[in-house]
């Protein structure tokens, strides 16, 4: 695991975008795994800038998102479909036919999850998976206690995650209780992982991820087992690390 500590969130975003852009230039038909949430927003802004000013070409890229709330239609302004189109996809030249995001309205969730896994395999696997991290150590919506071998499935969100995400809804009761999420095992199958974190609120989770024992109680700790994982953090998120990086 390569741990990169930057001064600021802006630098985290730029370094992340540089790594994604390098891959897109090297392999124009690569498969990218995307995350939602506040953390990757700066990186997405930088990718949009690179597309507009430097001609970074996403036309052949296939994308898979980590997760989606169950029960929210794609046009709901808190759905992860909406988030991805608003914050990235409609501002770059991604081909809609190559965009995959879990369907929160799927009639048969189990069947959908199997289909989603099959599409990842059919696309040749994910070349680079972008990850954020929850303050409780979740990756995607794999909450503490998730099987480290899990695949795409429905998960119940913990109270702390629903509380953290309540800021995007009018009140906490409106935060969906369930999500479809890639499993920890699905994420670990990606050829490269790029985990970003910013702010002191993530410091304990980052310390556990980089230095703690591997445990399902901090799902992100499994990243230690990945052969090609890069963790990019700012100073506040790195503040509880004890080793020198
Ligand atoms: C989102 C996702 C989540 C977030 C995590 C951090 O697709 O998979 O695991 O990455 O909850 O969210 P932020 O970045 O908002 O702190």
């Amino acid at each position: 695991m390569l741990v990169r500590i930057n001064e600021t969130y802006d630098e985290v975003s730029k370094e992340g975008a540089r790594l994604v852009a390098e891959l897109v230039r090297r392999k124009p038909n690569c498969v990218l795994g995307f995350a939602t949430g506040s953390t990757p927003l700066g990186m997405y802004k930088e990718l949009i800038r690179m597309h507009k000013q430097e001609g970074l070409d996403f036309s052949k890229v296939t994308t898979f998102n980590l997760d989606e709330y169950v029960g929210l239609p794609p046009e709901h302004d808190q759905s992860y479909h909406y988030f991805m189109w608003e914050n990235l996809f409609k501002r770059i030249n991604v081909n809609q036919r190559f965009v995959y995001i879990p369907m929160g309205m799927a009639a048969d969730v189990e069947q959908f999850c199997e289909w989603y896994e099959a599409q990842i395999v059919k696309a040749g696997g994910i070349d680079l998976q972008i990850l954020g991290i929850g303050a409780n150590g979740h990756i995607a919506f794999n909450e503490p206690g998730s099987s480290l071998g899990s695949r795409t499935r429905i998960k119940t969100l913990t109270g702390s995650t629903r509380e953290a995400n309540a800021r995007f809804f009018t009140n906490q009761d409106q935060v969906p209780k369930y999500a479809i999420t890639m499993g920890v095992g699905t994420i670990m199958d990606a050829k490269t992982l790029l985990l970003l974190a910013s702010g002191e609120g993530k410091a304990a989770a980052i310390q556990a991820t980089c230095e703690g024992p591997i445990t399902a109680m901090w799902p992100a700790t499994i990243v230690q087992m990945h052969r090609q994982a890069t963790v990019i953090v700012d100073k506040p998120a790195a503040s509880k690390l004890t080793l020198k990086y």
Side-chain angles (χ1 to χ4, degrees):
M1 178 194 286
L2 177 65
V3 181
R4 305 265 310 149
I5 303 172
N6 286 276
E7 281 298 320
T8 63
Y9 171 68
D10 194 46
E11 286 167 20
V12 169
S13 303
K14 292 208 167 108
E15 187 175 9
R18 192 172 48 73
L19 293 176
V20 174
E22 262 171 31
L23 172 63
V24 173
R25 287 197 190 98
R26 185 161 38 85
K27 187 177 175 190
N29 63 344
C30 64
V31 180
L32 295 179
F34 282 111
T36 61
S38 314
T39 310
L41 281 175
M43 179 171 75
Y44 294 164
K45 279 208 180 94
E46 177 63 5
L47 288 173
I48 294 164
R49 188 200 65 73
M50 288 170 153
H51 167 66
K52 291 204 170 14
Q53 294 178 6
E54 299 168 14
L56 186 64
D57 180 14
F58 290 89
S59 62
K60 297 189 182 68
V61 171
T62 298
T63 76
F64 286 92
N65 259 78
L66 285 170
D67 42 17
E68 177 60 288
Y69 290 118
V70 167
L72 295 195
E75 59 281 5
H76 190 289
D77 65 1
Q78 290 310 325
S79 75
Y80 287 173
H81 275 79
Y82 190 88
F83 177 101
M84 287 310 299
W85 283 98
E86 277 307 302
N87 293 300
L88 184 63
F89 294 155
K90 79 175 191 193
R91 300 173 203 280
I92 57 175
N93 63 336
V94 82
N95 184 334
Q96 186 162 8
R97 284 190 305 127
F98 302 155
V99 171
Y100 295 85
I101 304 174
M103 277 302 296
M105 299 298 282
D108 185 334
V109 172
E110 212 172 301
Q111 196 180 36
F112 175 83
C113 294
E114 268 175 43
W115 177 85
Y116 201 70
E117 289 272 336
Q119 298 318 299
I120 296 175
V121 173
K122 215 164 134 189
I126 294 171
D127 289 300
L128 184 149
Q129 177 64 56
I130 295 154
L131 296 169
I133 183 169
N136 64 1
H138 73 210
I139 43 174
F141 274 134
N142 295 288
E143 299 284 26
S146 293
S147 158
L148 298 179
S150 52
R151 312 302 305 184
T152 304
R153 69 214 183 291
I154 188 168
K155 282 294 287 179
T156 309
L157 305 184
T158 60
S160 73
T161 295
R162 292 183 69 228
E163 213 172 284
N165 291 1
R167 67 191 196 275
F168 303 115
F169 294 81
T170 31
N171 63 59
Q172 200 179 319
D173 290 344
Q174 295 194 331
V175 184
K177 292 192 175 62
Y178 305 99
I180 293 176
T181 180
M182 274 188 208
V184 180
T186 320
I187 292 168
M188 287 296 284
D189 283 349
K191 289 160 203 150
T192 314
L193 299 180
L194 181 58
L195 190 153
L196 308 182
S198 161
E200 218 182 326
K202 302 291 172 69
I206 287 299
Q207 197 275 333
T209 300
C210 301
E211 300 177 346
I214 296 169
T215 165
M217 291 313 285
W218 291 93
T221 57
I222 193 67
V223 169
Q224 292 173 28
M225 295 290 289
H226 199 280
R227 288 175 178 208
Q228 213 158 340
T230 302
V231 175
I232 309 181
V233 292
D234 60 10
K235 278 266 166 74
S239 60
K240 290 198 161 75
L241 293 175
T242 60
L243 301 174
K244 287 215 179 341
Y245 294 92

